[in-house]
């Protein structure tokens, strides 16, 4: 079990859940450092509650203001600030819940320093799976997933080891449009896409859940996390979000992990693995639930899932291109500039030229992400909007 913890992305949805877990277990874990983006008011409340050794914010101006209010606190900023937080003495685990390329850099830095990487940021493995795995192996560092599906698979494998796995089955809630099969997805509004039926999350990931792009990213993440072949990764729609994922072994026996849909559960496990302690969530009332349903994924209606397998067979830079194209497309959708169905279409279009390069260093991936952002924007501005 770990003791000293640094939380990157403390004011986001996963970060707030992580702090709730830490607040209930002050005797076991020490919160050493916090990093946040724009929400400085919430960060200030977190500083007052936890008295960390250091914090980091995105910009220099916010850092100066914080120093004024907390004169004895070490206040850092930018990418270097994240590097310093991760390097704090006594840090055993880094909970990586910052989106985007900043999160990717910090995750790799944590692995290099042999911290346990409690990974909530999907981009890290989607964009740079091969590199991140290599960094973890070289340093002898552990990656423990925080995403509920990946945590479920990780927990099932902890029971019997990776040998003898036939396939894994990721569950997907199906998002808000799964049940309404007659609905033309091209007409979906931003407000409709933001109304997720079972999970309460940030805006980007909620849109990703509605397009099933979130599941697509998880398919890619699963490949890198557990070193599986694409044909060993399946997806099934499970609207109740109670079975978090399953593993089928060669004898055709299956193990599943179940729990209430609350991120505090996988966050706590990522810190206590391989042990367990009493958690903050209520148990499942199976009789009250009554039934659990499973349905196939309609890959024509939700093309993101099929695209994930294209990414895996293309390899090389395809994961970084796919993830970046989706990020940009979601920004345009949230700004009301493109339609819902354009999101997977943009990602598919940007994938057409992917798979030829193979980034070997983190810097290559960061450059590729920056270049893909510009190409995706140009494609949307010139061919989708006009
Ligand atoms: Mg998930």
């Amino acid at each position: 079990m770990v003791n000293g913890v640094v939380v990157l992305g403390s004011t986001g949805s996963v970060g707030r859940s992580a702090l709730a877990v830490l607040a209930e277990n002050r005797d076991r874990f020490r919160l050493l450092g916090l990093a946040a983006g724009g929400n400085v008011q919430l960060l200030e409340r977190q500083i007052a509650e936890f008295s960390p050794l250091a914090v980091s914010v995105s910009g220099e101006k916010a850092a100066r203001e914080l120093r004024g209010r907390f004169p004895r606190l070490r206040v850092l900023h930018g990418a270097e600030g994240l590097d310093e937080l991760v390097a704090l003495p006594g840090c055993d685990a880094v909970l990586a819940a910052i989106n985007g390329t900043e999160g990717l850099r910090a995750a790799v830095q944590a692995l290099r320093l042999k911290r346990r990487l409690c990974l909530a940021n999907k981009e890290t493995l989607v964009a740079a799976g091969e590199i991140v795995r290599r960094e973890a192996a070289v340093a002898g560092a552990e990656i423990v997933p925080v995403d509920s599906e990946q945590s479920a698979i990780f927990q099932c494998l902890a029971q019997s080891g990776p040998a003898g796995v036939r396939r894994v089955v990721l569950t997907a809630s199906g998002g808000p449009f799964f049940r309404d099969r007659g609905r033309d997805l091209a007409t979906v509004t931003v407000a409709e896409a933001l109304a997720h039926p079972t999970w309460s999350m940030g805006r980007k990931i909620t849109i990703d859940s509605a397009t099933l792009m979130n599941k697509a990213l998880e398919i890619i993440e699963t490949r890198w996390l557990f070193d599986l072949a694409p044909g060993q990764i399946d997806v099934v729609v499970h609207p109740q979000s109670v079975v978090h994922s399953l593993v089928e072994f060669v004898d055709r026996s299956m193990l599943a992990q179940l729990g209430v849909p609350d991120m505090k559960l996988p966050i706590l496990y990522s810190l206590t693995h391989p042990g367990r302690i009493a958690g903050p969530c209520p148990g499942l009332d199976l009789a009250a639930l009554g039934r659990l349903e499973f349905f196939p994924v309609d890959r024509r209606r939700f093309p993101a899932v099929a695209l994930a397998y294209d990414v895996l067979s293309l390899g090389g830079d395809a994961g970084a291109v796919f993830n970046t194209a989706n990020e940009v497309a979601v920004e345009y959708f949230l700004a009301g500039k493109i339609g819902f169905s354009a999101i997977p279409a943009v990602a598919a279009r940007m994938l057409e030229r992917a798979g030829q390069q193979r980034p070997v260093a983190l810097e290559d991936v960061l450059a590729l992400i920056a270049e893909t952002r510009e190409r995706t924007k140009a494609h949307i501005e010139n061919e989708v909007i006009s």
Side-chain angles (χ1 to χ4, degrees):
M1 201 181 303
V2 300
N3 176 240
V5 180
V6 165
V7 175
L8 306 181
S10 66
T11 56
S13 170
V14 172
R16 292 196 306 269
S17 292
L19 265 54
V21 167
L22 296 173
E24 290 207 16
N25 295 283
R26 286 176 191 270
D27 52 331
R28 289 176 191 269
F29 305 117
R30 278 189 310 146
L31 182 56
L32 302 176
L34 293 169
N39 193 346
V40 179
Q41 272 125 342
L42 177 55
L43 178 63
E44 284 184 22
R45 289 205 298 277
Q46 294 176 338
I47 293 167
E49 188 184 347
F50 288 93
S51 311
L53 299 178
V55 300
S56 187
V57 288
S58 313
E60 200 176 348
K61 183 165 166 279
R64 251 197 326 269
E65 285 171 14
L66 265 182
R67 267 181 221 118
R69 246 156 292 167
F70 298 92
R72 301 218 316 263
L73 178 68
R74 206 162 135 212
V75 181
L76 311 157
H77 68 91
E80 295 74 25
L82 299 183
D83 287 354
E84 279 194 55
L85 277 191
V86 165
L88 282 175
C91 169
D92 303 309
V94 173
L95 191 125
I98 295 185
N99 290 329
T101 50
E102 274 208 329
L104 173 56
R105 259 187 56 121
V108 168
Q109 192 60 21
L111 289 172
R112 285 178 181 160
L113 294 170
K114 215 180 164 184
R115 312 308 194 207
R116 174 184 291 185
L117 180 62
C118 302
L119 187 61
N121 158 316
K122 286 189 181 82
E123 293 93 334
T124 301
L125 287 171
V126 172
E130 199 175 349
I131 294 166
V132 171
R133 270 182 61 104
R134 193 182 59 220
E135 294 277 1
V138 167
E142 224 179 345
I143 304 176
V144 181
V146 167
D147 206 354
S148 62
E149 295 82 354
Q150 316 295 348
S151 174
I153 295 169
F154 188 85
Q155 292 182 53
C156 292
L157 292 177
Q159 303 304 311
S160 52
V165 172
R166 186 169 178 273
R167 65 177 178 133
V168 300
V169 183
L170 295 168
T171 53
S173 71
F177 311 115
F178 165 70
R179 296 226 183 245
D180 188 3
R181 263 160 243 196
R183 178 70 197 267
D184 176 6
L185 295 184
T187 65
V188 163
T189 65
V190 173
E192 288 173 318
L194 283 175
H196 195 275
T198 45
W199 289 95
S200 157
M201 308 174 287
R203 281 158 67 87
K204 155 76 167 54
I205 188 171
T206 303
I207 301 301
D208 284 348
S209 294
T211 54
L212 292 203
M213 191 59 86
N214 184 53
K215 213 47 54 180
L217 299 176
E218 286 174 7
I219 290 168
I220 302 164
E221 194 187 14
T222 298
R223 181 259 173 274
W224 291 112
L225 211 41
F226 304 108
D227 199 17
L228 297 166
Q232 289 178 290
I233 306 168
D234 274 346
V235 180
V236 68
V237 173
H238 168 47
Q240 290 81 16
S241 300
V242 162
V243 176
H244 294 308
S245 279
L246 312 92
V247 176
E248 185 181 55
F249 296 89
V250 284
D251 61 0
R252 304 294 180 121
S253 177
M254 290 184 110
L255 290 182
Q257 186 260 335
L258 285 71
V260 293
D262 187 324
M263 287 305 291
K264 291 198 281 294
L265 209 51
I267 289 167
L268 178 65
Y269 185 74
S270 76
L271 298 171
T272 63
H273 164 78
R276 292 182 188 271
I277 62 171
C281 298
L284 280 176
D285 183 341
L286 292 173
L289 265 169
R291 64 177 179 187
L292 301 173
E293 299 170 294
F294 300 93
F295 302 95
V297 177
D298 183 343
R299 294 188 188 190
R300 283 230 319 262
R301 222 168 152 235
F302 297 101
V305 173
L307 289 172
Y309 291 96
D310 293 346
V311 168
L312 292 182
S313 57
L314 283 166
D317 62 0
V321 169
F322 182 65
N323 181 61
T324 307
N326 176 59
E327 265 180 22
V328 175
V330 170
E331 287 162 20
Y332 275 82
F333 173 72
L334 284 171
K337 291 182 178 169
I338 64 172
F340 186 76
S341 301
I343 299 171
V346 165
R349 178 64 185 276
M350 300 316 289
L351 266 187
E352 281 172 12
R353 274 165 45 192
Q356 286 149 29
Q357 296 180 58
R358 183 159 172 239
V360 290
L362 186 61
E363 291 65 35
D364 301 338
V365 178
L366 298 178
L368 175 69
I369 288 170
E371 182 209 314
T372 305
R373 281 196 74 83
E374 294 314 309
R375 281 203 301 123
T376 308
K377 280 186 196 170
H379 165 64
I380 292 175
E381 299 280 350
N382 298 330
E383 291 172 56
V384 182
I385 295 179
S386 59

